[in-house]
Amino acid sequence: MKQNVLSAVALLSGLSLAVAQGVPSPVKLTSTTSVVTQTTQNGKTVETLTDASKVAVVPGTLLDMAHTWQSVSKSDLRNMKLDMKVDPATTFRSAACTVSGVTTLFSADGGKTFGLAPLKKTVTVTENGRQVQRQVEVKPSEYTNVRWQLPVVKAGSEGRCAIRAVVK
């Protein structure tokens, strides 16, 4: 799998000060994008992840975009936030994280604000010739960003947080 080690400054808020001052990052991050293929074997659905750079990626392709992290700190880390942008060439489907106690938040405004699903937005509609504002649910396909809030990351632990999205 092609892997790119990403800077903790780009993805972890709260740790940027230590990194900016030249202190080594307490977390090693790796990013991968894989094509998800589902097949049926013995009546069960089996998923295969293939490096997206090694196969054709066309509209309708389901992608698994993941951040895998490993704590290289000798002490527990607290209140770590891991952010991922939903590529505009894709439509968000789902988010998952292997860490217990994680809170998954979503944004539909480019990462300016985050909240628990389902997100709400205010729209103006015309009813009986009058314009009124209504709260409506934001469709997951409108999500632009995902944030995982990890309350405690144990020293030496590792995890994986990912989104699934379909290529437009």
Side-chain angles (χ1 to χ4, degrees), residues 92-97 104 106 146 148 162-164:
F92 174 84
R93 284 287 174 88
S94 64
C97 193
T104 305
F106 303 92
V146 177
W148 294 277
I163 66 169
R164 293 273 171 105

Side-chain angles (χ1 to χ4, degrees), residues 90-152:
T90 67
T91 302
F92 174 84
R93 284 287 174 88
S94 64
C97 193
T98 62
V99 182
S100 62
V102 68
T103 300
T104 305
L105 303 173
F106 303 92
S107 175
D109 62 7
K112 294 176 191 161
T113 61
F114 287 86
L116 294 169
L119 296 179
K120 301 281 186 180
K121 67 180 175 181
T122 302
V123 297
T124 303
V125 296
T126 303
E127 291 181 0
N128 300 322
R130 296 180 54 204
Q131 293 207 337
V132 294
Q133 292 189 333
R134 296 277 183 241
Q135 285 276 34
V136 297
E137 194 171 298
V138 176
K139 298 175 191 161
S141 61
E142 298 176 59
Y143 293 171
T144 59
N145 299 72
V146 177
R147 171 176 287 164
W148 294 277
Q149 293 182 325
L150 309 158
V152 177

Side-chain angles (χ1 to χ4, degrees), residues 77-96:
L77 304 173
R78 303 213 178 274
N79 301 317
M80 189 169 87
K81 296 176 184 174
L82 181 61
D83 289 351
M84 182 180 285
K85 181 179 179 183
V86 177
D87 189 295
T90 67
T91 302
F92 174 84
R93 284 287 174 88
S94 64

